[in-house]
Amino acid sequence: MGIYFRLFRHRRFAGLCSGQIVSLIGDAFFPIIVVVAAAKAGTPAETIGAVFAARFVALGGVVLFSGALLDRFDPVRAAVVADSTRVVALAVLAFAWDGRLDAVVVAVAVLVGLCEAVSEPALLVIAPRVLDGRSPTAAAGPTAGPAPAEDAKDAEDAEVTAAYGLLEGLRNVSGMVGPTLAAAVVAGLGSSAGAVLAAVTFGLSAVATRWAGAHLVAGSRSGAPAQQPDPARAEPETSRPGSDGPGQPEPEPEPSLLHSALQGLIVLWRIPWLRSVQLLAVIHVVFAVGPWMVALPVFLVEGGHSATLYGFVLGAFAIGNAVGALVGGRIGGPRRGLYALALLALYGLTVLAPVASGSLVLLTVAFVAGGIGQQAFDVAKMTGLRRDVPEELHGRAFSADFFFSFASLPLGQLLGAALLRFADPRTIMLWGGALVLVSTAAVTLRPDVRRFSSAPAAASVPAAPTPLVER
């Protein structure tokens, strides 16, 4: 745990964490405001669903493009603009809203979704840059001489992994605290007060993020070139046809935003271990997680359990997520992928637990374990992605990674709803658990997946993004 305390001693990273905490608490207010307003007005469930759908359609529809924007412009400023936009949107909701679920609320929902599509990947891009070259952890050990390049790379990986683990842990803790606080404020003071408080949290987040990234400029870090080349652009010619010597390079047109956005998908596909892990994630979400999420409450109710048990085990899973983020932050070494996948397999046991036992103690343990495994795997995967993807593609790669998980979950839930017409919940859950265990074990057969790295064992990671250069 010492590395987490040292990270908190890094003032700018601590400021970034503070912004993360308050923004995630602010995230919880909007859905609570919508639900409370709908209950008071007697609004049908379809209208509530339309408001929430507007938010997530906006998020899923632009997240690939937001990654391209983060790679073209300054991610710090992009995150600040996203937070500031939410401040304005929630202020409008507080002072110009009559309490009905109308076009105003839908517009705010769309703006919130668009801003989330920017802020989610931006945080993953910003955090390592805040630490880069300024972390107290780098100076924690003896300094008798310059460290070998491989050791320095391992130290950087360990620090970034811990940073991602800490940020994800704070995300999960805030996700548990936020809804409770939002419900208490909205119930006690009203929807307008809740919207004002949410706007304040995003304002604080904008200030904290701007302060934490004050030393960063667009496309650069301290001591780095001011602008990285974009591999989506073709290499310029160094000589003119028919000439004997080099001439002036012809300027290349700026690639379209769609073309740049697709680079995020391409980079995940062209790195073999990332391709395998992304396919594994999609298989899990569509064919196991989504159907299980639909079947679980039906299974518990049909088994004579109350809705309280359903809420309790989900709370246990959330606690496991918070712990798992810190566990994932300490995964390292040449078998990091194997460790992460072994932890992910715990989620398969979680899916099977309600079928195997009705004991509250065993269910609690299984759901905590599944939460630990799922979140630890995500943290280790994010670090591996950052390590193997060229820096000028980080925004697009993180956005594409988020898109795969986000876009496939509704498909899985639709599949689960359809399967309930032909199979009982117990069969769906048995299938889901078996699929998670078998597919997770199968993907570990690849050596690069066991390392979460494209580099050969005991070799440094190549930095050149040559597979993505168009010629």
Side-chain angles (χ1 to χ4, degrees):
M1 296 295 292
I3 191 170
Y4 294 119
F5 290 111
R6 292 197 296 272
L7 284 172
F8 268 124
R9 286 168 48 201
H10 189 295
R11 292 188 305 157
R12 294 195 181 276
F13 183 75
L16 190 68
C17 290
S18 301
Q20 165 85 337
I21 292 171
V22 295
S23 68
L24 289 170
I25 291 175
D27 278 336
F29 276 83
F30 181 70
I32 297 295
I33 291 170
V34 170
V35 171
V36 170
K40 289 181 178 179
T43 306
E46 291 81 2
T47 305
I48 302 174
V51 173
F52 289 158
R55 174 184 180 181
F56 290 113
V57 167
L59 170 59
V62 303
V63 68
L64 289 176
F65 298 97
S66 68
L69 291 173
L70 291 174
D71 287 332
R72 289 190 182 189
F73 305 108
D74 182 2
V76 175
R77 292 175 183 169
V80 171
V81 169
D83 282 338
S84 302
T85 302
R86 283 183 280 193
V87 171
V88 174
L90 288 163
V92 170
L93 195 66
F95 300 109
W97 182 46
D98 59 6
R100 295 180 298 175
L101 298 190
D102 52 14
V104 173
V105 181
V106 173
V108 171
V110 170
L111 282 175
V112 169
L114 294 176
C115 292
E116 285 177 319
V118 174
S119 60
E120 293 286 341
L123 183 71
L124 300 178
V125 175
I126 295 169
R129 298 184 185 181
V130 168
L131 290 170
D132 187 36
R134 299 168 184 269
S135 174
T137 62
T143 57
E150 187 175 341
D151 291 343
K153 185 67 175 177
D154 289 342
E156 180 190 2
D157 284 346
E159 182 176 73
V160 172
T161 305
Y164 282 154
L166 186 57
L167 287 170
E168 289 298 309
L170 293 174
R171 174 190 298 276
N172 288 299
V173 172
S174 299
M176 290 185 283
V177 173
T180 303
L181 177 61
V185 171
V186 173
L189 302 178
S191 297
S192 294
V196 169
L197 185 56
V200 170
T201 64
F202 287 119
L204 293 174
S205 175
V207 172
T209 303
R210 181 65 182 85
W211 178 80
H215 62 291
L216 304 174
V217 293
S220 69
R221 296 177 298 173
S222 179
Q227 187 173 3
Q228 296 280 359
D230 188 343
R233 302 179 62 176
E235 292 181 349
E237 299 179 5
T238 56
S239 63
R240 298 182 183 275
S243 65
D244 296 330
Q248 290 293 329
E250 296 182 2
E252 295 294 333
E254 186 76 15
S256 68
L257 192 61
L258 175 61
H259 187 272
S260 294
L262 290 177
Q263 292 298 311
L265 299 175
I266 293 172
V267 70
L268 296 185
W269 185 258
R270 290 190 177 179
I271 297 177
W273 78 265
L274 271 174
R275 178 172 66 241
S276 299
V277 169
Q278 291 297 337
L279 289 174
L280 177 69
V282 171
I283 290 171
H284 281 189
V285 171
V286 174
F287 298 105
V289 178
W292 174 75
M293 291 176 68
V294 175
L296 176 62
V298 178
F299 178 82
L300 293 177
V301 170
E302 289 182 352
H305 300 289
S306 67
T308 304
L309 177 61
Y310 177 63
F312 180 81
V313 294
L314 290 184
F317 191 82
I319 293 173
N321 279 160
V323 176
L326 301 180
V327 172
R330 302 302 295 135
I331 294 177
R335 295 185 179 88
R336 56 176 70 88
L338 184 62
Y339 300 148
L341 288 164
L343 288 167
L344 179 63
L346 293 175
Y347 183 74
L349 301 179
T350 300
V351 176
L352 295 172
V355 178
S357 173
S359 167
L360 179 60
V361 174
L362 291 178
L363 284 178
T364 302
V365 171
F367 274 75
V368 170
I372 291 173
Q374 183 263 328
Q375 190 65 73
F377 168 81
D378 281 347
V379 170
K381 180 187 67 172
M382 286 189 294
T383 308
L385 184 154
R386 177 186 175 273
R387 182 190 311 111
D388 270 18
V389 173
E391 183 177 0
E392 60 270 16
L393 287 167
H394 280 174
R396 279 166 279 187
F398 281 123
S399 295
D401 178 64
F402 182 77
F403 173 80
F404 276 122
S405 300
F406 174 84
S408 53
L409 182 57
L411 295 177
Q413 292 172 325
L414 288 174
L415 177 62
L419 288 175
L420 282 175
R421 294 179 174 272
F422 306 100
D424 61 277
R426 183 176 185 274
T427 301
I428 294 173
M429 296 172 74
L430 285 172
W431 158 258
L435 178 63
V436 170
L437 292 173
V438 172
S439 59
T440 302
V443 80
T444 60
L445 296 176
R446 291 187 58 97
D448 55 345
V449 172
R450 293 196 295 269
R451 296 190 302 269
F452 271 10
S453 174
S454 297
S460 59
V461 178
T466 50
L468 295 178
V469 176
E470 297 182 356
R471 298 183 183 276

